[in-house]
Amino acid sequence: MHRADRRHRRLPVRALAAATALLAALTLAPAYAGDLNPSNPLADSGPWPHSTITTAANPEYNNYLAAQRPQRKAAMAEIALTPRMRWFANCSTCNVERIRDTVTKYVADTRRKDPGALVQLAIFGLWPRGEHVNGRRPAMTRNDLIAYKRWIKQLAAGLGNARTAIVLEPDLAISANHGGLSDPTPARRMAATAWSANYLATTLRGEAIYLDAGSADWLTIDNAVRLLSRSGIQHVRGFALGATHYDSVPDNVDYAARLSAALARAGHRAKRGVIDTADNGTPFTWPQWNARWGALYRRTGNKAYAFDNTPTCGSSTEQVCQTIGHQPTWDVVGPEAGKLGLGEQQTALRTQAERYVDAYLWFGRGWRWMQQGGNDSQTPTRMVRMALHSRFDHPTG
């Protein structure tokens, strides 16, 4: 585990105008691509905006707007004003016919009339009844597959010609049938993902699609290669790491390099990764979580201690807890890389990051109850606590 020194920093209180100016500076990517990854589709000068939609789908921004106390508002701004992925879920209560309109509105809000702006989304459609969150693994039926394809087509229509970064099917790694997270119909879910990858890649323009590949502390490289090969990796840019785990960026950089090489040996060349940094500012692995929180969770059944709901850090020195991490950027060895464990002395890791990682993106949602949607009662407090002890710089209000 690679960790830098954790020092508590007091959050400044700024006027909204100052926060907006800072956000503009943070969300503009540098105007050149790295020599080691010249084909990186995320490396250009287009802005990466945050969403300002004030619906239940964006509780982070709503909580920020509603906050009255200046320091609390500033803490919430560190999440609400950071560019991150919105999840679009295919569920039994969702209206397939409305998804196109919903996505169209999200695209317009994010682009702010700038066609070069990056629209970020996670597509989560393989578990339409949501039971996998509670440990149940229902089969994917033929009717589920039909509905899934209709949903994907409508979603793609809503995206149109937008420049997009897409994480396709977070928790796809469940279908690798790894340990106790077995999927009863893995072949059908992988086939559905492969169809979706192909459809989106051939229908959209300006897209960069990354298939979920779990995390460095989840699947072995061989299992990840089998999963991705059966799920359409040949159609897309690459793979996504860390969506629902919290292990360190250096561990995932090394994993991305090894996975890319293994995919090349399997016939899938030049595949690159993106790494989630939304909630691994104080990184830990699943075994480390199990050592600290596992027995308590199993004894009490209290989901406040579940892996998907690991408690937030209460101090700058606490371990095996959640804080927000590195801001989203394609500049993976930028000014704060040393805080990740990718400082100037880490030559090999820095080279791996520049060559095999397209960007750090925020597609995890550790501040939400069980990483799920909606504005549950815990989200505002978790947002504040995750920001208070972060080592990393973010927009503040």
Side-chain angles (χ1 to χ4, degrees), residues 107 111 115-117 119 156-164 203-207:
V107 169
R111 294 172 91 181
V119 178
L159 288 173
N161 64 353
R163 177 177 172 239
T164 56
T203 302
L204 302 178
R205 297 291 179 267
E207 85 291 344

Side-chain angles (χ1 to χ4, degrees), residues 65-85:
L65 293 178
Q68 298 297 314
R69 299 198 301 274
Q71 190 172 24
R72 185 174 178 85
K73 193 177 190 74
M76 288 184 172
E78 298 215 10
I79 294 171
L81 303 186
T82 295
R84 63 191 185 282
M85 288 194 165

Side-chain angles (χ1 to χ4, degrees), residues 1-3 6 246-249 251 282-285 288 319:
M1 187 63 65
H2 304 262
R3 293 186 176 94
R6 293 175 177 81
Y246 317 97
D247 46 331
S248 73
V249 169
D251 285 353
T282 305
F284 58 91
T285 63
Q288 289 172 321
Q319 304 284 313

Side-chain angles (χ1 to χ4, degrees), residues 304-380:
Y305 306 108
F307 182 73
D308 284 344
N309 213 27
T310 301
T312 55
C313 294
S315 73
S316 58
T317 58
E318 188 176 357
Q319 304 284 313
V320 195
C321 52
Q322 290 191 60
T323 59
I324 55 176
H326 198 291
Q327 69 181 20
T329 179
W330 73 267
D331 187 7
V332 295
V333 292
E336 292 203 295
K339 297 178 183 179
L340 292 169
L342 295 173
E344 294 290 344
Q345 71 280 12
Q346 302 292 336
T347 306
L349 275 170
R350 287 172 68 89
T351 299
Q352 285 181 325
E354 289 183 286
R355 179 171 288 145
Y356 297 106
V357 179
D358 283 348
Y360 305 140
L361 301 177
W362 279 22
F363 44 95
R365 305 180 296 181
W367 47 83
R368 295 191 188 180
W369 181 260
M370 296 295 291
Q371 302 185 20
Q372 297 180 58
N375 191 21
D376 64 88
S377 61
Q378 304 296 322
T379 293

Side-chain angles (χ1 to χ4, degrees), residues 53-243:
I53 286 179
T54 55
T55 68
N58 194 7
E60 297 83 0
Y61 192 64
N62 289 335
N63 290 332
Y64 162 73
L65 293 178
Q68 298 297 314
R69 299 198 301 274
Q71 190 172 24
R72 185 174 178 85
K73 193 177 190 74
M76 288 184 172
E78 298 215 10
I79 294 171
L81 303 186
T82 295
R84 63 191 185 282
M85 288 194 165
R86 175 172 168 179
W87 286 41
F88 287 88
N90 170 34
C91 64
S92 56
T93 59
C94 300
N95 188 329
V96 173
E97 307 308 324
R98 285 202 297 265
I99 186 64
R100 177 174 180 171
D101 181 60
T102 302
V103 172
T104 298
K105 290 177 179 176
Y106 174 66
V107 169
D109 168 73
T110 305
R111 294 172 91 181
R112 315 225 213 303
K113 299 183 179 180
D114 185 342
L118 184 69
V119 178
Q120 302 185 51
L121 64 152
I123 297 176
F124 183 66
L126 294 180
W127 304 88
R129 289 171 295 281
E131 295 95 332
H132 83 294
V133 174
N134 296 315
R136 298 189 296 276
R137 307 283 179 250
M140 187 179 197
T141 67
R142 183 173 178 274
N143 286 338
D144 289 336
L145 181 59
I146 293 171
Y148 176 76
K149 291 182 176 181
R150 288 178 57 220
W151 181 73
I152 288 292
K153 289 179 179 179
Q154 291 297 314
L155 189 151
L159 288 173
N161 64 353
R163 177 177 172 239
T164 56
I166 298 172
V167 169
L168 184 57
E169 297 304 346
D171 270 350
L172 175 63
I174 291 174
S175 293
N177 273 335
H178 178 72
L181 296 177
S182 296
D183 176 359
T185 50
R188 178 164 280 171
R189 283 194 173 86
M190 287 186 281
T193 306
W195 177 90
S196 179
N198 182 48
Y199 183 84
L200 293 170
T202 56
T203 302
L204 302 178
R205 297 291 179 267
E207 85 291 344
I209 303 173
Y210 302 88
L211 287 177
D212 177 72
S215 204
D217 68 338
W218 191 347
L219 300 181
T220 66
I221 293 294
D222 287 345
N223 281 341
V225 169
R226 283 192 291 271
L227 173 71
L228 296 175
S229 296
R230 297 172 187 176
S231 301
I233 192 67
Q234 69 270 25
H235 303 301
V236 301
R237 170 68 182 176
F239 49 86
L241 300 173

